[in-house]
Amino acid sequence: MNEIATDAVPEFPILRTCPFSVPDTYRKLDEVGGRVHQIRMSDGRLAWLITKNEDARAVLSDARFSSEKLRPGFPELSPGGLKALTYFSPFLVNMDGPEHSHARRAVLSEFSVRRINAMKPRIQRIVDTAIDRLLAQPERPVDFVAHLANPVPTLVLETFLGVPADDLDTIERNTEKMLREARTEEEQRAAAEGLHAHLDAVIAAKEENPADDFLSRQIERSRRERGGAADRFELASLVQLLQIAGHASSAAMISLSVLTLLSDPEQLKELAADPDRTPAAVEELLRFLSITDTGPLRMALEDVEIGGVRIRAGDGVIIPTLPANRDADAFPDPDRFDIRRTPDTRHVAFGYGAHQCLGQNLVRAELQILLDRLFSRVPDLRLAVDPGALPFKYFGQFFGPSELPVTW
């Protein structure tokens, strides 16, 4: 790997110490100069760090950078962490080229604006029921994460996927066990086999009782393509991917968004007085918070110049969304949260290019409905502790508070 002279090569991931601030390491790299920098992964290998918004979008839309994580030499956030992928059918987010295009087209219509708009009344009922339960708690403060931020995305996924909430919770726990708790290859394999057995049973039950939902339609699609039985192995990976992406990310985004607004009473008051501002506020929350500290990973398939630096074939590339969404060259006064900001489609909260998040329409609808209903129905909601005392999740895929005590 060619090198850039810096005082020190930082280690990745670079974790935030404040939920609303860009880590100092990124600012120090800006001071060093240059647009692209080297970082050291946990296994000691070097990779390239992309922090400028323009460069991030260039890499994410360039087919010369691969998303196929099982390629030899692909960057890993933790040594051996990609081994778990070998137990599953390829995930959509880890495919390249025609294979990815075919898999994406197969599910793209499920996430259309029309289909998500049709779900909005059901999402509002889910949100209102969760708020009812929050308000019915006999003691205060109440943990907002446990009573609203976590259950709402699960119940929305239950409606969308057609998979019972209890099964989704089991899939999440078993996935977490496989990724975080399994220490040996044997433990990881055993956890993967248990997860597969559960997913297979979920799909079998849906085959017996199809309905108007995502999983039923994907089973039928798989049967047509194969001219026989559906590919349960492929469908299991698809359900697992959507559960991971659709629950943990939404729960973190909901809790961080509510924390941000409760910490800024003036803007919250303005938003509550004019719900027409909510779509713009949601876009600003997505840009400002950037709930992952890692971001997309890529590997160069050939030599490519990005930001004046030649990235060579086989080099790993990391594109953390937080610094890209706080780039002063793309967003005026980027470290200021401002619901009046004109929405800017250059933010990369949902990625960019061929792998841009399929579920972004659903996430936006869920967050808009929740914020509107929550602050309309509980206008005096407030934090019950000092924000500095809140515990945060630093080592999962998505950053957010593990608890958020509120009262009213």
Side-chain angles (χ1 to χ4, degrees), residues 24 45 92 105 120 132 159 162 230 239 257 266 330 370 381 391:
D24 289 341
R45 290 186 297 160
L92 177 64
R105 281 196 302 270
K120 284 182 177 179
D132 288 342
T159 298
V239 170
S257 295
E266 288 303 313
L370 187 142
L381 188 75

Side-chain angles (χ1 to χ4, degrees), residues 7-153:
D7 294 335
V9 177
E11 294 186 358
F12 196 84
I14 299 168
L15 303 178
R16 68 189 90 187
T17 56
C18 168
F20 308 130
S21 300
V22 175
D24 289 341
T25 300
Y26 290 121
R27 298 307 187 208
K28 291 176 182 176
L29 289 175
D30 285 342
E31 294 170 4
V32 168
R35 298 174 65 94
V36 181
H37 303 275
Q38 285 184 313
I39 50 90
R40 191 177 304 280
M41 307 299 289
S42 59
D43 61 3
R45 290 186 297 160
L46 296 177
W48 294 105
L49 187 70
I50 307 294
T51 60
K52 301 298 289 183
N53 182 274
E54 180 183 358
D55 297 337
R57 289 184 291 120
V59 171
L60 292 172
S61 59
D62 193 330
R64 294 174 294 178
F65 292 95
S66 174
S67 298
E68 192 178 327
K69 291 183 173 58
L70 291 180
R71 287 181 181 272
F74 198 95
E76 295 186 84
L77 293 177
S78 59
L82 297 180
K83 177 67 177 177
L85 296 178
T86 62
Y87 303 121
F88 296 88
S89 178
F91 289 105
L92 177 64
V93 293
N94 301 334
M95 297 177 182
D96 290 335
E99 181 187 26
H100 171 258
S101 297
H102 172 76
R104 187 178 176 93
R105 281 196 302 270
V107 298
L108 189 59
S109 64
E110 298 283 352
F111 299 92
S112 67
V113 172
R114 178 187 62 82
R115 194 176 292 279
I116 300 307
N117 282 342
M119 281 187 62
K120 284 182 177 179
R122 176 58 179 155
I123 296 174
Q124 180 167 324
R125 289 194 294 271
I126 289 170
V127 168
D128 277 332
T129 299
I131 294 172
D132 288 342
R133 291 172 179 167
L134 179 80
L135 296 174
Q137 294 305 306
E139 296 182 1
R140 300 179 199 172
V142 176
D143 181 10
F144 180 85
V145 173
H147 287 88
L148 210 149
N150 274 338
V152 164

Side-chain angles (χ1 to χ4, degrees), residues 256-272:
L256 265 183
S257 295
V258 169
L259 171 61
T260 303
L261 290 166
L262 291 179
S263 301
D264 194 335
E266 288 303 313
Q267 291 203 70
L268 174 55
K269 182 179 179 181
E270 185 173 340
L271 180 63

Side-chain angles (χ1 to χ4, degrees), residues 45-352:
R45 290 186 297 160
L46 296 177
W48 294 105
L49 187 70
I50 307 294
T51 60
K52 301 298 289 183
N53 182 274
E54 180 183 358
D55 297 337
R57 289 184 291 120
V59 171
L60 292 172
S61 59
D62 193 330
R64 294 174 294 178
F65 292 95
S66 174
S67 298
E68 192 178 327
K69 291 183 173 58
L70 291 180
R71 287 181 181 272
F74 198 95
E76 295 186 84
L77 293 177
S78 59
L82 297 180
K83 177 67 177 177
L85 296 178
T86 62
Y87 303 121
F88 296 88
S89 178
F91 289 105
L92 177 64
V93 293
N94 301 334
M95 297 177 182
D96 290 335
E99 181 187 26
H100 171 258
S101 297
H102 172 76
R104 187 178 176 93
R105 281 196 302 270
V107 298
L108 189 59
S109 64
E110 298 283 352
F111 299 92
S112 67
V113 172
R114 178 187 62 82
R115 194 176 292 279
I116 300 307
N117 282 342
M119 281 187 62
K120 284 182 177 179
R122 176 58 179 155
I123 296 174
Q124 180 167 324
R125 289 194 294 271
I126 289 170
V127 168
D128 277 332
T129 299
I131 294 172
D132 288 342
R133 291 172 179 167
L134 179 80
L135 296 174
Q137 294 305 306
E139 296 182 1
R140 300 179 199 172
V142 176
D143 181 10
F144 180 85
V145 173
H147 287 88
L148 210 149
N150 274 338
V152 164
T154 297
L155 294 169
V156 171
L157 272 179
E158 178 182 52
T159 298
F160 178 79
L161 289 176
V163 176
D166 288 346
D167 285 312
L168 291 172
D169 287 339
T170 300
I171 293 167
E172 181 174 36
R173 287 195 302 272
N174 288 346
T175 300
E176 186 70 14
K177 181 179 180 180
M178 180 183 66
L179 295 178
R180 309 289 176 206
E181 298 176 21
R183 296 288 179 245
T184 67
E185 186 172 337
E186 291 74 19
E187 290 175 339
Q188 197 174 65
R189 183 182 295 108
E193 289 174 353
L195 179 55
H196 264 301
H198 185 79
L199 285 163
D200 192 77
V202 168
I203 295 165
K206 182 60 65 174
E207 287 176 329
E208 290 295 320
N209 296 285
D212 182 17
D213 55 49
F214 175 90
L215 184 52
S216 296
R217 289 187 289 271
Q218 292 307 306
I219 289 171
E220 181 57 30
R221 173 193 61 80
S222 183
R223 283 172 172 164
R224 289 196 308 270
E225 290 182 354
R226 291 165 57 87
D231 186 343
R232 289 186 185 175
F233 194 59
E234 175 195 75
L235 291 169
S237 292
L238 185 56
V239 170
Q240 187 189 9
L241 172 65
L242 293 177
Q243 194 283 329
I244 294 171
H247 179 264
S249 62
S250 292
M253 190 65 211
I254 288 169
S255 54
L256 265 183
S257 295
V258 169
L259 171 61
T260 303
L261 290 166
L262 291 179
S263 301
D264 194 335
E266 288 303 313
Q267 291 203 70
L268 174 55
K269 182 179 179 181
E270 185 173 340
L271 180 63
D274 184 6
D276 287 342
R277 289 187 181 273
T278 305
V282 164
E283 219 60 37
E284 174 69 346
L285 287 162
L286 289 164
R287 180 202 71 83
F288 182 75
L289 295 173
S290 302
I291 59 170
T292 176
D293 281 330
T294 53
L297 284 70
R298 297 289 188 267
M299 189 174 78
L301 298 178
E302 57 185 84
D303 291 4
V304 186
E305 185 171 308
I306 296 292
V309 173
R310 180 162 294 278
I311 297 174
R312 302 200 183 278
D315 285 357
V317 180
I318 316 296
I319 310 102
T321 55
L322 182 58
N325 284 340
R326 299 288 192 92
D327 180 3
D329 291 336
F331 308 101
D333 198 4
D335 293 326
R336 178 170 58 89
F337 171 66
D338 184 4
I339 65 171
R340 305 171 197 84
R341 189 187 299 270
T342 301
D344 194 323
T345 57
R346 287 178 296 176
H347 78 68
V348 291
F350 292 115
Y352 191 75

